[in-house]
Amino acid sequence: MRVLVTGSKGMLGTSVSKVFKDHDLLLTNSTELDVRNFDQVMSWAKSKPNVILHLAAETDLVRAEFNPGDAYMTNHTGTLNMAHLAETLNVPIVYIGTAGIFDGKKKIYKEEDKANPLHHYGRSKYYGELAVKQYKKHYIVRAGWAMGGGPEVDKKFINKIYKLAKSGAKKLYGINDMYGNPTYTMDFAMTLKNIVEKRPEYGTYNSGGKGSASRLAVLKEFIKLLGLSKKIEIIPVTDKEFCKLFPSGYPKTGSEVLSIKKLEKSGLSAMRDWQSALAEYAKEFI
Ligand SMILES: NC(=O)c1ccc[n+]([C@@H]2O[C@H](COP(=O)([O-])OP(=O)(O)OC[C@H]3O[C@@H](n4cnc5c(N)ncnc54)[C@H](OP(=O)(O)O)[C@@H]3O)[C@@H](O)[C@H]2O)c1
């Protein structure tokens, strides 16, 4: 299969590049394929991919909150452009969704739950879902809190903890009232591969690491894996307390937990429980 990948140098793209290596990969970055640029997007039609993995997105929640126009251009208009390319070629497109489209009031979210995004990142990604849904041959696969790419590429929680620990921090604060599914990008990429190869019914699928966790639980587990539990004090705080110490600039959602039962029932989920996945990922930092 010839697979066109947008945003291939990011956290998930790095894993997709490894996991899909037995396919003919067209790995693109934002210079070669800027999803906001319609003409450039359509110029990829001549390379005749059989499937499109649309991973590219503005993923920085703070940047999205302060430059919403850019976030909507990339996450909404960019996805419309990619869906148009897929429709022109009559090939399936896979779009990566996020639990950030929900308001966090429910404990756990199913595929059909109503979106109610609280911030521009979540809203722009929700509009991306709506954009890709205009074309029948789509898969929306939603991920939880990403862990992947290693110290050079990971922009999220795990690498932030690693950098703080490496810089000699003696205490770290862990939020105890925010929950999600820590999602190892290697497992998630394998799940995407199963979907692309086995072609279940088109539509929306939640994914993410098995089991939910608070930020505090992930922090504790990672510090333990780094062998630093005795050196670093971990202080549990609520999100409100954390935001007073370190203002985030965007509204937080209490629960970002996704129910992954639909994908598990289909037999296509390659997600491990988050603790085993984190133990595997932590090897890149030790
Ligand atoms: N990270 C998470 O926790 C998480 C959770 C749920 C869902 N997701 C979704 O998963 C997907 C992959 O995210 P990720 O975790 O791999 O994030 P990432 O590391 O930030 O990767 C995103 C990639 O998108 C590229 N990109 C940004 N603007 C672009 C544009 N206009 N045209 C083409 N490429 C562009 C970036 O490339 P450049 O650096 O070259 O700009 C970057 O390599 C995204 O759709 C994201 O919304 C992520």
Side-chain angles (χ1 to χ4, degrees):
M1 240 186 316
R2 182 167 296 168
V3 187
L4 175 62
V5 186
T6 67
S8 72
K9 303 290 180 267
M11 291 171 64
L12 178 56
T14 308
S15 297
V16 161
S17 312
K18 291 178 190 156
V19 170
F20 278 73
K21 64 177 183 298
D22 51 337
H23 288 288
D24 177 10
L25 285 173
L26 301 168
L27 298 170
T28 68
N29 61 27
S30 57
T31 309
E32 297 147 346
L33 198 174
D34 180 345
V35 297
R36 296 168 299 184
N37 181 336
F38 182 82
D39 293 337
Q40 196 185 28
V41 167
M42 293 312 291
S43 73
W44 282 87
K46 59 181 178 296
S47 61
K48 295 193 167 38
N50 310 108
V51 63
I52 296 172
L53 293 189
H54 174 35
L55 317 180
E58 170 56 271
T59 59
D60 186 315
L61 277 81
V62 177
R63 225 165 34 212
E65 209 56 22
F66 289 100
N67 303 293
D70 279 348
Y72 289 103
M73 270 301 285
T74 303
N75 296 349
H76 179 218
T77 310
T79 304
L80 267 176
N81 292 342
M82 291 310 301
H84 186 73
L85 175 64
E87 189 162 11
T88 304
L89 292 164
N90 192 28
V91 299
I93 180 168
V94 180
Y95 170 75
I96 313 303
T98 166
I101 66 167
F102 297 115
D103 58 19
K105 289 182 184 144
K106 273 187 78 174
K107 267 198 170 154
I108 183 159
Y109 287 91
K110 290 187 181 162
E111 281 78 359
E112 62 275 18
D113 279 325
K114 196 172 175 310
N116 183 26
L118 301 183
H119 42 62
H120 286 301
Y121 170 70
R123 195 169 303 110
S124 64
K125 287 293 293 179
Y126 177 54
Y127 289 170
E129 288 199 4
L130 297 180
V132 85
K133 273 184 181 171
Q134 304 300 316
Y135 170 53
K136 184 176 178 293
K137 294 186 178 177
H138 72 267
Y139 294 108
I140 295 168
V141 191
R142 298 189 186 128
W145 298 339
M147 321 187 281
E152 301 301 322
V153 179
D154 189 335
K155 308 173 183 76
K156 297 286 178 178
F157 191 54
I158 294 300
N159 206 16
K160 284 181 187 169
I161 300 171
Y162 176 69
K163 283 180 182 162
L164 287 168
K166 215 177 142 195
S167 71
K170 294 277 173 280
K171 59 180 178 185
L172 291 173
Y173 296 90
I175 300 174
N176 57 14
D177 59 353
M178 262 183 81
Y179 295 86
N181 317 77
T183 301
Y184 186 31
T185 55
M186 290 298 283
D187 292 354
F188 189 69
M190 186 53 76
T191 302
L192 295 179
K193 189 167 188 261
N194 290 342
I195 290 173
V196 163
E197 289 177 350
K198 304 282 170 9
R199 301 282 167 93
E201 207 182 318
Y202 291 116
T204 303
Y205 295 86
N206 288 346
S207 186
K210 266 193 211 170
S212 62
S214 65
R215 290 282 198 201
L216 173 67
V218 184
L219 171 64
K220 275 188 179 164
E221 188 72 17
F222 186 51
I223 291 296
K224 191 174 89 190
L225 290 163
L226 291 176
L228 295 172
S229 297
K230 289 200 175 119
K231 291 198 173 137
I232 297 180
E233 183 192 1
I234 293 177
I235 304 167
V237 285
T238 62
D239 182 45
K240 242 186 182 170
E241 289 165 341
F242 187 84
C243 288
K244 270 190 198 153
L245 294 167
F246 312 101
S248 69
Y250 60 90
K252 299 279 197 57
T253 43
S255 168
E256 298 189 338
V257 180
L258 296 170
S259 161
I260 62 168
K261 282 191 183 140
K262 180 177 169 187
L263 208 47
E264 285 192 321
K265 269 189 204 147
S266 73
L268 300 176
S269 178
M271 306 309 298
R272 278 173 272 186
D273 66 274
W274 70 265
Q275 291 94 334
S276 314
L278 180 56
E280 177 79 27
Y281 183 43
K283 290 178 192 162
E284 293 194 42
F285 294 83
I286 298 165

CSV table of all heavy atoms in Angstrom, one decimal, residues 16 35 41 49 59 67 78 91 104 118 147 149 174-176 194 219 268 272 282:
chain,number,residue,atom,x,y,z
A,16,VAL,N,4.7,6.1,13.5
A,16,VAL,CA,4.0,5.6,12.2
A,16,VAL,C,5.1,5.2,11.2
A,16,VAL,O,5.1,4.2,10.6
A,16,VAL,CB,3.1,6.7,11.7
A,16,VAL,CG1,2.8,6.4,10.2
A,16,VAL,CG2,1.8,6.7,12.5
A,35,VAL,N,-0.7,21.5,5.1
A,35,VAL,CA,-2.1,21.2,4.9
A,35,VAL,C,-3.0,22.4,4.7
A,35,VAL,O,-4.1,22.3,4.1
A,35,VAL,CB,-2.7,20.3,6.0
A,35,VAL,CG1,-1.9,19.0,6.1
A,35,VAL,CG2,-2.6,21.0,7.4
A,41,VAL,N,-1.5,20.8,-1.3
A,41,VAL,CA,-2.2,19.5,-0.9
A,41,VAL,C,-2.6,18.7,-2.2
A,41,VAL,O,-2.3,17.6,-2.4
A,41,VAL,CB,-3.4,19.8,-0.1
A,41,VAL,CG1,-4.3,18.6,0.1
A,41,VAL,CG2,-3.0,20.3,1.3
A,49,PRO,N,-1.4,8.0,-3.7
A,49,PRO,CA,-1.5,7.1,-2.5
A,49,PRO,C,-2.8,6.3,-2.5
A,49,PRO,O,-3.8,6.6,-3.1
A,49,PRO,CB,-1.5,8.1,-1.4
A,49,PRO,CG,-2.0,9.4,-1.9
A,49,PRO,CD,-1.6,9.4,-3.4
A,59,THR,N,-0.9,21.3,17.7
A,59,THR,CA,-1.1,20.5,18.9
A,59,THR,C,-0.8,21.2,20.2
A,59,THR,O,-1.0,20.7,21.3
A,59,THR,CB,-0.3,19.2,18.9
A,59,THR,OG1,1.1,19.5,18.8
A,59,THR,CG2,-0.7,18.3,17.7
A,67,ASN,N,-3.4,32.1,19.4
A,67,ASN,CA,-3.5,32.3,18.0
A,67,ASN,C,-4.6,31.4,17.4
A,67,ASN,O,-4.3,30.5,16.6
A,67,ASN,CB,-2.2,32.0,17.3
A,67,ASN,CG,-1.0,32.8,17.9
A,67,ASN,OD1,-1.0,34.0,17.7
A,67,ASN,ND2,-0.1,32.1,18.6
A,78,GLY,N,-7.2,22.8,7.1
A,78,GLY,CA,-6.2,21.8,6.6
A,78,GLY,C,-6.8,20.4,6.5
A,78,GLY,O,-6.5,19.7,5.5
A,91,VAL,N,-9.9,7.5,-2.0
A,91,VAL,CA,-9.1,6.6,-1.1
A,91,VAL,C,-9.5,7.0,0.4
A,91,VAL,O,-10.0,8.1,0.6
A,91,VAL,CB,-7.6,6.7,-1.2
A,91,VAL,CG1,-7.2,6.3,-2.6
A,91,VAL,CG2,-7.1,8.1,-0.9
A,104,GLY,N,-15.3,17.3,29.7
A,104,GLY,CA,-14.7,16.7,30.9
A,104,GLY,C,-15.6,16.5,32.0
A,104,GLY,O,-15.2,16.2,33.1
A,118,LEU,N,-14.0,23.1,25.2
A,118,LEU,CA,-13.9,24.3,26.1
A,118,LEU,C,-12.8,25.2,25.6
A,118,LEU,O,-12.7,26.3,26.1
A,118,LEU,CB,-13.5,23.8,27.5
A,118,LEU,CG,-14.5,22.9,28.2
A,118,LEU,CD1,-14.1,22.6,29.7
A,118,LEU,CD2,-15.9,23.5,28.2
A,147,MET,N,2.2,9.8,24.5
A,147,MET,CA,3.6,9.6,25.0
A,147,MET,C,4.3,9.0,23.8
A,147,MET,O,4.0,7.9,23.4
A,147,MET,CB,3.6,8.6,26.2
A,147,MET,CG,2.5,8.6,27.1
A,147,MET,SD,2.7,7.5,28.6
A,147,MET,CE,2.3,5.9,27.9
A,149,GLY,N,7.9,9.5,20.7
A,149,GLY,CA,8.9,10.3,20.0
A,149,GLY,C,10.2,10.4,20.7
A,149,GLY,O,11.2,10.8,20.1
A,174,GLY,N,1.9,17.2,41.0
A,174,GLY,CA,1.1,16.3,40.2
A,174,GLY,C,-0.4,16.5,40.4
A,174,GLY,O,-0.9,16.5,41.5
A,175,ILE,N,-1.1,16.8,39.3
A,175,ILE,CA,-2.5,17.1,39.3
A,175,ILE,C,-3.3,15.8,39.6
A,175,ILE,O,-3.1,14.8,38.9
A,175,ILE,CB,-3.0,17.8,38.0
A,175,ILE,CG1,-2.2,19.1,37.8
A,175,ILE,CG2,-4.5,18.1,38.1
A,175,ILE,CD1,-2.5,19.8,36.5
A,176,ASN,N,-4.1,15.9,40.7
A,176,ASN,CA,-4.8,14.6,41.1
A,176,ASN,C,-6.3,14.6,40.7
A,176,ASN,O,-7.0,13.7,41.0
A,176,ASN,CB,-4.7,14.4,42.6
A,176,ASN,CG,-5.2,15.6,43.4
A,176,ASN,OD1,-5.9,16.4,42.8
A,176,ASN,ND2,-4.9,15.6,44.7
A,194,ASN,N,-3.5,-1.7,11.9
A,194,ASN,CA,-4.5,-2.7,11.9
A,194,ASN,C,-5.8,-2.2,11.2
A,194,ASN,O,-6.4,-2.9,10.4
A,194,ASN,CB,-4.9,-3.1,13.3
A,194,ASN,CG,-3.8,-3.9,14.0
A,194,ASN,OD1,-2.9,-4.4,13.3
A,194,ASN,ND2,-3.8,-4.0,15.3
A,219,LEU,N,2.9,10.8,36.7
A,219,LEU,CA,4.1,11.4,37.2
A,219,LEU,C,4.8,10.5,38.1
A,219,LEU,O,6.0,10.2,38.0
A,219,LEU,CB,3.7,12.8,37.9
A,219,LEU,CG,4.8,13.5,38.7
A,219,LEU,CD1,6.0,13.9,37.8
A,219,LEU,CD2,4.3,14.7,39.4
A,268,LEU,N,-9.0,-4.9,16.7
A,268,LEU,CA,-8.0,-4.2,16.0
A,268,LEU,C,-7.2,-3.3,17.0
A,268,LEU,O,-6.2,-2.7,16.5
A,268,LEU,CB,-8.7,-3.3,15.0
A,268,LEU,CG,-9.5,-4.0,13.9
A,268,LEU,CD1,-10.1,-3.0,12.9
A,268,LEU,CD2,-8.5,-4.9,13.1
A,272,ARG,N,-1.7,-1.4,24.9
A,272,ARG,CA,-1.5,-2.1,26.2
A,272,ARG,C,-2.0,-1.3,27.3
A,272,ARG,O,-2.4,-0.1,27.1
A,272,ARG,CB,0.0,-2.2,26.4
A,272,ARG,CG,0.7,-3.3,25.6
A,272,ARG,CD,2.2,-3.2,25.8
A,272,ARG,NE,2.7,-2.4,24.7
A,272,ARG,CZ,4.0,-2.2,24.5
A,272,ARG,NH1,4.9,-2.7,25.3
A,272,ARG,NH2,4.4,-1.4,23.5
A,282,ALA,N,9.8,4.5,28.7
A,282,ALA,CA,10.7,5.1,29.6
A,282,ALA,C,12.2,4.7,29.3
A,282,ALA,O,13.1,5.4,29.5
A,282,ALA,CB,10.4,4.7,31.1
